[in-house]
Amino acid sequence: MAEVLHIIGGGMAGSEAAWQAANMGVDVVIHEMRPKVGTFAHRTGNLAEMVCSNSFRSDDDERNAVGLLHWEMRAANGLIMEQAAAHRLPAGGALAVDRDPFAESVTAKIKAHPRISVVYDEVPELPTEGHWIVATGPLTSGNLAESIRTVTGAEHLAFFDAIAPIVYAESIDMNVAWLQSRYDKGETEEERTAYINCPMNKAQYEAFIDALLAADKTNFHEGETAGYFDGCLPIEVMAERGRETLRHGPMKPVGLTNAHKPEEKAYAVVQLRRDNKLGTLYNIVGFQTKMKYGAQTEVFKMIPGLEGASFARLGGIHRNTFINSPTLLDDQMRLKSRPNIRFAGQVTGVEGYVESAAMGLLAGRMAAAEILGRTLSPPPPETAMGALITHITGGAEAKTFQPMNVNFGLFPPIDAKGGRRGRKDRYKAYTDRAKEAFTAWLA
Ligand SMILES: Cc1cc2nc3c(=O)[nH]c(=O)nc-3n(C[C@H](O)[C@H](O)[C@H](O)COP(=O)(O)OP(=O)(O)OC[C@H]3O[C@@H](n4cnc5c(N)ncnc54)[C@H](O)[C@@H]3O)c2cc1C
């Protein structure tokens, strides 16, 4: 009897995974809990419901990493991109869609596919047999989350993200900042110089605290808060608790000597820690925040050394269920301890509709290939999909793993020696290289 692929969750990732696998000739069953079991963010029983914004972000496939992901998904006959195009709304360079007709059409296309059936029920436990993809998203049901925790270990499943801003290493002014681990701790030179440090004097610190207190903050969505602040307070909340709190917390200056001005003792120090193996991205340690994006760029550029910083992603705190993929998944997105189960979508620690659908596309193709007796290698890391899957299944630092958007910092650097090309030309070089590699991979 032909083997069936079961997919838990009919969101962005699950719908795309089903479409891809079915088009490769594999029978698929989607198990979707809505409308029987709801979430605080979904409103309908449609597949691929957009829970908040109606935008798939930039559609510029030449100079933007998300736009490149759109291009790759279109090249791979992605359902989400096909239906996004069919329901596109005017939005400048962004791909915005009419959300309800979009989700209704995805649902109709899936239901009309002769190889896909949809069962409307919650799957409460990780299955032990058969081919499965878990694509249950940031609001995975409580029962299934508990089962994942039991199988993977409690420390490998998070219920919210606490994202500190991530900065492109090349945009940090190393004439001001310096490399050093606190108290020069570490066995190797690499460990002793693992952090980038940005010093502040008293006046700079006071101005920074004033800016934090005055900055515009975002509100939590209804149902999002549920007691998850312990151990990861937003920096602006720390600042509200007292002007000195940060100086005794993530901005403490102890154990650090300014390499450029060894005689000057910093009043406070902002530390950045490497965020990927490539060393192209650094996160600002302990700087999770609910400040609005515009406010974040303004406030963080007040930090000496970060005046010209480019951000690969800004900070945030959200209700978000995700696994520690770098520890748990192999490069086929299979759970190492139960290889009959793949994970896809936001639950793997990618962030956003587009990234989630892209990981669904890959998981669907990989699972179908396996059922058909073949192995499909992941796309090369020079492609947007390849960069993302490489990041979540090994490139990211497992200890500090937090959800990630696609961005050029995840790609192997281009033109590393010359580096004189303008940023726009460099991004074009990234996307040209990616398109060639993706086309070859598809073939
Ligand atoms: C409040 C909120 C706001 C967001 N805003 C944005 C935004 O503006 N832009 C953006 O790009 N991203 C946003 N996101 C992230 C967005 O949800 C994801 O990027 C995207 O929807 C993830 O796709 P997915 O397929 O992984 O998960 P989803 O699209 O959430 O799909 C998962 C599906 O699994 C189902 N499910 C869960 N558990 C079970 C179970 N046990 N059995 C059966 N079915 C189950 C759910 O009902 C759901 O349909 C937001 C997330 C939240 C929570």
Side-chain angles (χ1 to χ4, degrees), residues 9 11-13 32-34 52-53 123 135-137 141 346 352-353 356:
M12 296 294 161
E32 170 52 58
M33 69 178 185
R34 289 178 297 114
C52 189
S53 138
V123 176
T136 45
S141 73
Q346 186 135 334
Y353 303 138
S356 299

Side-chain angles (χ1 to χ4, degrees), residues 192-228:
R192 285 189 289 274
T193 55
Y195 290 78
I196 292 179
N197 302 283
C198 299
M200 278 188 188
N201 61 30
K202 188 166 191 306
Q204 287 165 331
Y205 178 79
E206 295 295 345
F208 184 71
I209 298 295
D210 287 340
L212 274 183
L213 294 174
D216 271 353
K217 325 282 186 323
T218 50
N219 294 322
F220 284 94
H221 284 266
E222 192 190 334
E224 257 196 321
T225 42
Y228 58 61

Side-chain angles (χ1 to χ4, degrees), residues 102 106 170 177 189 202 206 218 275 290 369 375 390 412 423 439:
F102 161 78
V106 171
E170 61 181 15
E189 183 60 13
K202 188 166 191 306
E206 295 295 345
T218 50
D275 205 69
K290 286 292 279 185
T375 302
T390 303
R423 194 186 294 169
T439 306

Side-chain angles (χ1 to χ4, degrees), residues 7-15 31-34 37-42 46-57 119 121-125 135-145 221 224 318-320 344-348 350-357 405:
I7 299 176
I8 316 179
M12 296 294 161
S15 302
H31 304 258
E32 170 52 58
M33 69 178 185
R34 289 178 297 114
V37 181
T39 77
F40 79 83
H42 292 88
N46 291 330
L47 304 178
E49 180 180 331
M50 301 172 97
V51 288
C52 189
S53 138
N54 68 332
S55 171
F56 287 107
R57 311 195 328 264
V119 174
D121 248 331
E122 178 190 1
V123 176
E125 275 182 25
T136 45
L139 306 176
T140 296
S141 73
N143 293 324
L144 184 63
H221 284 266
E224 257 196 321
H318 312 96
R319 168 80 172 80
N320 196 355
Q346 186 135 334
V347 73
T348 63
V350 296
E351 167 92 23
Y353 303 138
V354 184
E355 288 84 342
S356 299
N405 285 133

